[in-house]
Amino acid sequence: MEINKEDYKYIKAKRRVEEMKKFYTNVAMYVIFICALAGLNYYVNEFKNPWFLWAAFGWGIGIFFQAIKVFKWAPFMGKDWENRKIKQYMEEEKKRENKSEF
């Protein structure tokens, strides 16, 4: 079974939309959960010790890196970078093999 160009584009676009949907779901859960923790923190000690910020910070780091991946903000995270590095390492290996033949 052969996949034509249009089908490939559709599959790729659908995968991207699914990644974005997961990201937005994660952000919504983050907001809900951190607000609940903040409410609990206020109820317990009226923010004298704002411990909910540790959870917000930790989970926030994860969301930040997920955003970079989903929206392709960093050149070191994309497929183009991976393909360039693979090609670079293959060329380096080929050069080493050529040098060892002599």
Side-chain angles (χ1 to χ4, degrees):
M1 184 170 156
E2 189 175 320
I3 299 175
N4 64 21
K5 224 176 209 183
E6 289 300 315
D7 290 340
Y8 177 74
K9 288 179 183 178
Y10 174 78
I11 291 169
K12 192 174 178 181
K14 185 173 178 166
R15 189 173 298 143
R16 174 105 192 236
V17 169
E18 287 172 0
E19 287 177 0
M20 291 175 74
K21 185 177 175 183
K22 286 179 188 177
F23 171 73
Y24 290 129
T25 301
N26 196 4
V27 169
M29 295 306 296
Y30 172 82
V31 169
I32 292 168
F33 191 74
I34 297 302
C35 287
L37 285 179
L40 179 64
N41 190 186
Y42 181 77
Y43 178 75
V44 171
N45 65 11
E46 296 180 352
F47 296 131
K48 291 176 186 169
N49 180 15
W51 50 263
F52 79 97
L53 293 176
W54 288 105
F57 180 70
W59 196 350
I61 290 172
I63 288 178
F64 173 74
F65 284 111
Q66 185 180 13
I68 288 173
K69 180 182 174 191
V70 169
F71 297 109
K72 300 179 185 349
W73 289 335
F76 58 87
M77 295 280 241
K79 283 286 184 189
D80 292 338
W81 176 83
E82 290 177 15
N83 292 334
R84 284 194 315 267
K85 281 298 183 185
I86 289 170
K87 189 175 180 180
Q88 176 188 349
Y89 290 135
M90 288 174 65
E91 288 173 1
E92 288 174 3
E93 187 64 31
K94 190 174 183 179
K95 287 179 184 177
R96 275 191 230 122
E97 288 176 0
N98 289 339
K99 286 182 181 179
S100 65
E101 289 177 1
F102 295 110

